[in-house]
Amino acid sequence: NAGVTQTPKFRVLKTGQSMTLLCAQDMNHEYMYWYRQDPGMGLRLIHYSVGEGTTAKGEVPDGYNVSRLKKQNFLLGLESAAPSQTSVYFCASSPGVSITDTQYFGPGTRLTVL
Amino acid sequence: AQSVAQPEDQVNVAEGNPLTVKCTYSVSGNPYLFWYVQYPNRGLQFLLKYITGDNLVKGSYGFEAEFNKSQTSFHLKKPSALVSDSALYFCAVGGGSSNTGKLIFGQGTTLQVKP
């Protein structure tokens, strides 16, 4: 099993450009999450999904959109990138059986917006 | 509202000495507490979690954590530190009013183990 994978690993954008980050998991997990990690701020939840076709806002959703068309994939979109969105983005998944489930993380995507 | 605090940005310890990385939390209701470790340029790896039961939880790589309800703490410990333990450690809390497995993460503590 590959676990949780993220594409791409690195990306540089210019202000105003758009892009989509792809997260894929092969563990048949129901729940998936997108976080951003910034120095001194830990991980902050952007959006999450509790099942195929469902999404919900997290702590810092502004400027991002998500879609969960297939159970194994969770896409994070930036429609018009801003320098404030320079960050490391992590995707995670959990089984969705219990609220105490462990979350499993991908390797991250380092995004720079110029 | 749920919150978690890691009061130390960095902890320095000599190899072979015991280590402690501190975490305190605030949540209404029963907390679910997690520790994750992040090595450079890698994703987060699960170390251990407290759900219920024994206050002392044992996890991966010889780490353990003690849940203290009266002090609302969940400190990470290891009896004998290794240089390879040097990494960024995150405490996280779930539960309370959340029913979707959402976690609130602390800001992280860098552990530096020197030979």
Side-chain angles (χ1 to χ4, degrees):
Chain A
N1 285 354
V4 180
T5 58
Q6 293 182 232
T7 308
K9 289 185 170 53
F10 303 94
R11 186 72 186 268
V12 178
L13 290 178
K14 294 180 180 179
T15 297
Q17 287 184 319
S18 63
M19 78 163 294
T20 300
L21 281 67
L22 171 63
C23 175
Q25 52 94 3
D26 61 1
M27 297 175 283
N28 201 34
H29 284 176
E30 288 292 336
Y31 292 3
M32 297 186 74
Y33 309 83
W34 274 109
Y35 294 90
R36 59 177 290 173
Q37 182 182 24
D38 302 293
M41 303 189 73
L43 275 74
R44 293 180 291 169
L45 183 64
I46 304 171
H47 286 281
Y48 64 100
S49 167
V50 298
E52 181 178 317
T54 71
T55 63
K57 294 180 180 180
E59 185 184 353
V60 289
D62 294 343
Y64 304 95
N65 57 75
V66 288
S67 65
R68 182 102 182 266
L69 298 180
K70 293 183 178 181
K71 185 177 183 178
Q72 64 268 33
N73 295 337
F74 195 28
L75 279 62
L76 178 71
L78 286 72
E79 291 186 347
S80 180
S84 60
Q85 294 177 304
T86 293
S87 187
V88 181
Y89 292 85
F90 288 101
C91 177
S93 70
S94 66
V97 174
S98 165
I99 63 172
T100 65
D101 286 340
T102 298
Q103 292 185 20
Y104 296 87
F105 284 80
T109 295
R110 186 173 296 274
L111 175 66
T112 301
V113 183
L114 302 176
Chain B
Q2 297 170 220
S3 66
V4 60
Q6 295 179 242
E8 301 156 317
D9 289 337
Q10 182 158 326
V11 170
N12 297 310
V13 65
E15 188 174 31
N17 283 1
L19 70 88
T20 299
V21 182
K22 295 179 180 178
C23 172
T24 59
Y25 67 90
S26 174
V27 65
S28 56
N30 294 321
Y32 306 122
L33 296 154
F34 298 76
W35 276 102
Y36 283 85
V37 60
Q38 184 181 30
Y39 297 100
N41 300 313
R42 303 286 294 277
L44 277 70
Q45 296 179 30
F46 169 74
L47 276 180
L48 51 81
K49 66 182 177 182
Y50 171 82
I51 305 303
T52 188
D54 194 348
N55 288 345
L56 185 64
V57 180
K58 294 188 182 297
S60 306
Y61 312 122
F63 284 93
E64 58 188 27
E66 186 168 12
F67 172 66
N68 188 317
K69 188 173 184 178
S70 63
Q71 296 187 3
T72 61
S73 67
F74 189 56
H75 300 333
L76 181 70
K77 300 181 180 183
K78 187 173 182 180
S80 178
L82 299 172
V83 172
S84 57
D85 292 330
S86 298
L88 182 58
Y89 290 80
F90 289 100
C91 181
V93 64
S97 59
S98 168
N99 64 352
T100 56
K102 290 189 295 181
L103 296 177
I104 302 298
F105 284 83
Q107 73 272 30
T109 298
T110 298
L111 174 65
Q112 188 78 20
V113 182
K114 297 186 178 179

